[in-house]
Amino acid sequence: MRKRRLRLRLGAALALVAALAGAASADPPDDERPPGGLVSRNAERLGLQGDSLAAVQAVINASGARHADLLAKLETARTAMRELLTQPVPDSKAVMAQADAIGAIETEIHKNRLQAIMEIRALLTPDQRKMLLALRDEEHARREKEGGECESHAEPPPVPTR
């Protein structure tokens, strides 16, 4: 009976390690993309210049700094998770608490991106907002045509069954 429980725990820990490894290999889109990239790449097409360009760039810079700080926290939290999972018998409560900590940081990264988007859109004219949405759609279509779906719509990798 005791061996069976130990095998079940070990199997659960290995499944969690495999799931985390799969998630780490398919980094969430926010991990690689600082906020404001689309606007920065298309500032001229959007007609941004002078004070409006400076205001948008200030939002992008502030959000980018927060993004970098959050990525550093995320890496630290993931390292702590790897350390927990390399223990012979990982503490289930500690692993779950660390999973919550990682999830909270990932949520903050997402919220930072959304906050930047909202602040930038507030600085744009109605026509510029329409153009920004059209540019986003163009970029999504281009990524799909190039063979890789846009990161935000990509299928998650399959979870290993062993």
Side-chain angles (χ1 to χ4, degrees):
M1 182 80 153
R2 188 169 183 222
K3 284 184 180 182
R4 183 172 182 234
R5 273 189 274 170
L6 182 59
R7 270 189 258 144
L8 286 173
R9 286 183 183 166
L10 182 58
L14 289 174
L16 181 58
V17 169
L20 288 172
S25 67
D27 288 326
D30 294 339
D31 276 5
E32 298 299 322
R33 297 181 305 129
L38 179 65
V39 174
S40 294
R41 287 189 302 277
N42 293 285
E44 189 174 316
R45 286 179 71 185
L46 288 167
L48 291 172
Q49 53 190 336
D51 290 343
S52 63
L53 177 59
V56 167
Q57 195 58 50
V59 170
I60 291 170
N61 292 343
S63 183
R66 286 190 304 271
H67 184 76
D69 290 343
L70 289 166
L71 287 180
K73 287 181 182 178
L74 182 60
E75 182 55 33
T76 299
R78 287 179 174 167
T79 298
M81 178 65 91
R82 285 189 289 276
E83 289 173 9
L84 286 171
L85 293 172
T86 58
Q87 296 175 1
V89 180
D91 178 349
S92 179
K93 287 183 181 179
V95 168
M96 293 303 124
Q98 193 61 27
D100 287 340
I102 290 169
I105 296 167
E106 290 173 340
T107 297
E108 283 304 310
I109 290 170
H110 187 67
K111 288 170 71 175
N112 181 56
R113 174 178 300 288
L114 291 172
Q115 184 63 41
I117 290 168
M118 299 307 294
E119 289 177 22
I120 290 168
R121 286 186 182 179
L123 295 169
L124 301 178
T125 66
D127 288 340
Q128 288 171 323
R129 284 193 292 270
K130 286 179 189 175
M131 172 61 85
L132 181 61
L133 294 176
L135 291 168
R136 181 202 59 197
D137 292 345
E138 279 178 23
E139 195 163 292
H140 284 193
R142 180 185 50 77
R143 285 184 184 143
E144 287 180 22
K145 186 176 181 182
E146 289 174 354
E149 286 191 56
C150 173
E151 296 98 13
S152 63
H153 297 106
E155 290 288 324
V159 176
T161 55
R162 286 189 184 206

